[in-house]
Amino acid sequence: MDIEQSRYNMVEQQIRPWDVLNQNVLDLLFKVRREDFVPEAHRALAFVDMEIPLGHGQAMWTPKLEARVIQELDIRPTDRVLEIGTGSGYLTALLASKAADVVSVDIVPEFTAAATQKLRAHGFGNVVLHSGDAARDWPDEAGFDVIVLTGSTPLLSDALVRRLRVGGRLFAITGDAPVMEAQLITCSGPGTTRSVTLFETCFAPLLNAPHPAAFVF
């Protein structure tokens, strides 16, 4: 496999047609080697338009979703980022390439351990990884400029939204299968947010994600 040609095809045939036109984001996809974060058994699929299994019922996002989310979040060099669901560590690497600091949490300790090794090997010193459950909240009084949920959630936790600093952005896939909405929520002022639906999609939920209260007759 010609890796660089495959990477180029991924960008030109999958990602650019999905309205990812920010050149800085496209350049980043050539800089951070996706194949280094894909499980060994699926390395040949690193540039394919598919969700790659990671185990424990979890999967990597498609390349076009990863790129689109990085573009929509408009990450700045001073931003502090919270990633909920480390997974392979690839999205973590993309976030860390653009932000000042990244805190990444995963409920599966094996994911945290593997991502720690990969990120260290690639020289990312601005990432702190934790094993834990952040589907509903991650106590951190300093707050975040960017929050990314890498699994879907039937109900978005208000506690997570309150972790946003003013001007902060949160990306979440909300709702239930088969149709979910990708949402970008921006904190426009203390206690004030606005939400934009970016597109429809469907992705596996975060473990222990909150659900709406059941209706009882």
Side-chain angles (χ1 to χ4, degrees):
M1 179 178 69
D2 184 334
I3 288 181
E4 294 312 318
Q5 184 63 50
S6 297
R7 196 187 324 277
Y8 176 84
N9 292 344
M10 174 188 74
V11 170
E12 294 301 321
Q13 297 171 12
Q14 298 174 43
I15 293 171
R16 194 186 291 274
W18 218 49
D19 293 330
V20 181
L21 304 175
N22 184 309
Q23 193 59 48
N24 289 332
V25 174
L26 298 176
D27 289 345
L28 185 61
L29 303 177
F30 287 94
K31 177 183 174 184
V32 182
R33 299 170 59 85
R34 192 174 198 266
E35 67 273 20
D36 292 347
F37 292 86
V38 173
E40 188 67 39
H42 302 296
R43 190 67 53 87
L45 303 173
F47 307 109
V48 176
D49 184 16
M50 65 174 287
E51 295 169 4
I52 296 177
L54 296 174
H56 300 277
Q58 305 302 305
M60 290 180 73
W61 281 351
T62 62
K64 65 186 181 186
L65 179 55
E66 293 162 342
R68 178 73 179 273
V69 170
I70 293 294
Q71 176 176 271
E72 295 289 351
L73 286 170
D74 189 25
I75 301 165
R76 294 144 198 171
T78 55
D79 281 348
R80 186 168 189 254
V81 178
L82 172 64
E83 179 189 38
I84 300 171
T86 309
S88 71
Y90 176 64
L91 187 69
T92 320
L94 296 179
L95 294 166
S97 295
K98 297 182 73 65
D101 298 289
V102 176
V103 175
S104 186
V105 187
D106 204 292
I107 199 169
V108 180
E110 292 93 326
F111 290 168
T112 304
T116 298
Q117 290 184 342
K118 291 173 184 175
L119 291 163
R120 186 176 297 151
H122 283 74
F124 288 101
N126 61 334
V127 181
V128 177
L129 294 102
H130 299 276
S131 290
D133 183 356
R136 297 168 184 267
D137 193 14
W138 186 252
D140 189 310
E141 298 309 316
F144 298 94
D145 303 290
V146 172
I147 299 176
V148 186
L149 282 69
T150 66
S152 66
T153 182
L155 181 69
L156 180 59
S157 164
D158 288 338
L160 284 175
V161 175
R162 289 195 293 270
R163 298 288 172 195
L164 281 178
R165 297 170 175 171
V166 174
R169 292 84 65 207
L170 182 152
F171 175 86
I173 298 171
T174 61
D176 294 295
V179 178
M180 304 175 183
E181 293 184 338
Q183 292 189 310
L184 184 67
I185 295 165
T186 302
C187 178
S188 51
T192 306
T193 60
R194 56 183 174 84
S195 177
V196 175
T197 298
L198 302 173
F199 48 85
E200 291 185 347
T201 187
C202 190
F203 197 76
L206 291 167
L207 297 175
N208 296 340
H211 288 72
F215 182 77
V216 179
F217 287 98

